[in-house]
Amino acid sequence: LGGKTDTLYAHQYILGCAWDIFNSILDYPDRDMKRLLNNQRNVGYLDDWDMETINDKDNGKEGIHGFKSIRKASQNDKEAVNEGGLDDFNPYNADSENLIIIEVNQDVLPKKMLLYCLQFVYTGQCKVKLSETERLSEIATELLLDELATYCGNMRTFSQQLDECKVMNASITTYWLDACAEQYKEILFDRQYKYDCVIKTSLAAKYDKKMVNNAKNDDDDDKKEENKEDESENAAVAGKMIYQTPDANDEDKPTVEGDADAVPGANHNIDEAKEEKKQEMQAPIIENDGEFRAHKIIPWCRCDVFQAMLNNNFKESHESTITFHGIRAKTFGTFLEYLYTDHAQIDDDIVMPLLEYSNLMREPRLISWCEYLMSKVIERAVEQSIADCHLDIIGL
């Protein structure tokens, strides 16, 4: 669409994963997407449709009627599109070096109809008037969006039964979003296709340098104390009388007169406790770090905290690596998967940490889901006996 007022913006990540046409145009990985097709179709010709050979019907070829050309944006294109200034809320619009321009014949594919199509691809629904549904249904079929055509058909069929129409179209919305989520997970999250940033996580922030130094100092002090104890034990034993006393196991076993503290090796348990304490303090410093390849636009759209970080006011907006401290890799990975797909496999051992992190990142829906899962964890833990429960219920 040419001109400032006739321009529509979209994101290649979304269209490439969810829309057959753009999956081919943008050369995204092949995927097996669950579809609600009105009719079985053969769209093998899309395999030959790329940025050099745009297989369009306007020139008598088999393709999508109304698409004229596709090309990488030049600097002149960017300047024309950005005429009037950038949108303050979106740092990822037409400044991108990967911007692609697709020209469409508005006589065939009006801008308003394409906007409805984009709304459906992004959200699984669109705010179309009843009078426009017939035309939109035709265009949706041409653009291989069978689900949108069915969505429009329901509006016409149940025009006098609004509640029935809402139920029917709500099921289409849910189905579409779930099907798209599977593609986002497979192509973007799992394959990390065309990622543009690296997110690193580290748990070390919870244990500052002062604590680490204290742990080292405690180690040195322990060694000094051990040497002193050995010397005092040797001296104490030398001045004690060893005598024979009856013993339940061995009557001939010699016993050292005096307190247990004077017996060599009596402090063994204390030494073990100190060693465990040192390991507990040192282990988190080297464990639980992670690295994730992501796409900035996804968390930017889904999370207020990410949006604030990635806006131009913060250094993260200009860097390709973002670091989060004080979070386990497994917990953050689950959180990131939720941002991509609106779903995630949440294991019992991370429900509480994920709940805390979701609160920190201001994700109310995930907070509610974690609260529900945590209630189930507690139910299972106290099923047999509250007294034997391994969870600190009051602490929770």
Side-chain angles (χ1 to χ4, degrees):
L1 295 169
K4 176 67 177 177
T5 58
D6 289 330
T7 299
L8 292 175
Y9 293 106
H11 304 91
Q12 295 178 39
Y13 297 129
I14 304 297
L15 302 188
C17 291
W19 198 340
D20 288 345
I21 292 174
F22 291 96
N23 178 265
S24 178
I25 291 177
L26 302 175
D27 197 26
Y28 267 57
D30 293 336
R31 78 272 194 271
D32 184 19
M33 184 174 178
K34 293 187 299 185
R35 300 298 301 273
L36 294 173
L37 301 180
N38 295 329
N39 298 293
Q40 293 300 316
R41 62 193 183 203
N42 180 11
V43 291
Y45 59 86
L46 288 178
D47 294 337
D48 299 324
W49 194 4
D50 55 31
M51 296 183 65
E52 279 69 39
T53 58
I54 184 166
N55 202 6
D56 61 319
K57 275 188 177 179
D58 293 339
N59 293 329
K61 299 178 182 178
E62 187 177 25
I64 303 303
H65 189 44
F67 278 61
K68 296 171 64 177
S69 69
I70 174 173
R71 67 178 187 279
K72 277 217 165 193
S74 65
Q75 188 57 41
N76 291 336
D77 290 323
K78 294 180 182 180
E79 291 174 358
V81 171
N82 286 325
E83 191 177 274
L86 293 173
D87 298 327
D88 292 335
F89 67 91
N90 185 1
Y92 302 107
N93 61 10
D95 258 4
S96 171
E97 61 181 15
N98 297 316
L99 181 67
I100 290 177
I101 301 290
I102 299 176
E103 291 184 316
V104 177
N105 183 349
Q106 288 204 69
D107 294 333
V108 179
L109 298 176
K111 176 186 175 183
K112 193 173 185 179
M113 295 294 131
L114 282 180
L115 180 58
Y116 288 146
C117 291
L118 289 174
Q119 286 179 352
F120 183 83
V121 170
Y122 273 73
T123 68
Q125 56 188 326
C126 63
K127 298 179 179 179
V128 58
K129 297 178 182 179
L130 182 60
S131 60
E132 299 172 322
T133 55
E134 184 174 358
R135 177 64 177 137
L136 179 58
S137 180
E138 295 173 355
I139 290 178
T141 301
E142 286 283 339
L143 298 180
L144 308 183
L145 290 175
D146 294 59
E147 292 83 356
L148 178 54
T150 303
Y151 188 96
C152 294
N154 289 340
M155 291 182 65
R156 295 196 304 274
T157 302
F158 300 100
S159 59
Q160 304 301 321
Q161 301 168 285
L162 294 181
D163 291 339
E164 186 73 17
C165 179
K166 289 179 180 178
V167 171
M168 297 291 289
N169 282 347
S171 64
I172 292 178
T173 297
T174 301
Y175 190 94
W176 175 262
L177 292 179
D178 287 345
C180 290
E182 290 183 3
Q183 303 311 311
Y184 301 149
K185 183 179 187 306
E186 177 188 350
I187 297 177
L188 301 181
F189 186 77
D190 292 340
R191 298 191 194 183
Q192 305 160 356
Y193 185 72
K194 291 188 176 181
Y195 69 92
D196 58 9
C197 72
V198 174
I199 302 177
K200 295 184 177 181
T201 62
S202 173
L203 192 62
K206 288 187 176 180
Y207 304 88
D208 57 18
K209 292 182 179 179
K210 183 177 180 180
M211 182 176 290
V212 176
N213 292 333
N214 288 342
K216 293 180 179 179
N217 292 335
D218 289 344
D219 191 18
D220 295 338
D221 293 340
D222 290 342
K223 289 181 179 178
K224 293 179 181 178
E225 190 66 27
E226 288 172 1
N227 293 334
K228 290 181 180 180
E229 289 174 355
D230 290 342
E231 293 175 359
S232 61
E233 286 171 358
N234 293 334
V237 172
K240 294 289 182 179
M241 180 187 297
I242 299 180
Y243 62 94
Q244 301 290 336
T245 59
D247 186 90
N249 297 321
D250 187 358
E251 293 182 356
D252 297 330
K253 180 180 179 181
T255 303
V256 180
E257 184 184 32
D259 297 331
D261 290 342
V263 181
N267 292 320
H268 180 68
N269 292 336
I270 298 176
D271 295 339
E272 286 185 349
K274 290 180 179 179
E275 184 64 26
E276 290 178 359
K277 181 180 178 182
K278 286 190 296 180
Q279 292 178 357
E280 288 177 358
M281 298 180 69
Q282 293 175 350
I285 299 173
I286 59 175
E287 296 179 356
N288 292 317
D289 293 349
E291 183 174 301
F292 304 87
R293 294 177 175 85
H295 310 79
K296 284 186 176 181
I297 191 60
I298 304 294
W300 185 89
C301 289
R302 294 294 311 276
C303 179
D304 291 342
V305 176
F306 264 107
Q307 188 170 128
M309 291 177 60
L310 298 176
N311 279 341
N312 292 323
N313 296 330
F314 294 90
K315 67 176 184 178
E316 286 84 359
S317 63
H318 307 293
E319 297 179 350
S320 59
T321 300
I322 304 171
T323 303
F324 285 93
H325 297 284
I327 180 70
R328 289 174 58 193
K330 182 178 180 180
T331 304
F332 184 83
T334 302
F335 177 80
L336 188 63
E337 182 178 346
Y338 170 81
L339 294 184
Y340 271 80
T341 67
D342 225 23
H343 303 280
Q345 177 65 41
I346 304 176
D347 297 331
D348 289 355
D349 63 318
I350 65 167
V351 174
M352 200 62 198
L354 184 60
L355 174 58
E356 296 174 354
Y357 194 70
S358 301
N359 182 60
L360 178 67
M361 301 297 282
R362 301 174 62 182
E363 282 298 315
R365 186 175 178 273
L366 185 54
I367 292 173
S368 299
W369 181 236
C370 288
E371 288 174 343
Y372 169 77
L373 292 178
M374 195 64 212
S375 70
K376 296 302 179 183
V377 171
I378 295 173
E379 284 181 12
R380 292 192 293 270
V382 301
E383 185 176 5
Q384 300 298 328
S385 170
I386 296 178
D388 297 334
C389 176
H390 66 281
L391 294 175
D392 180 9
I393 304 299
I394 297 176
L396 290 176

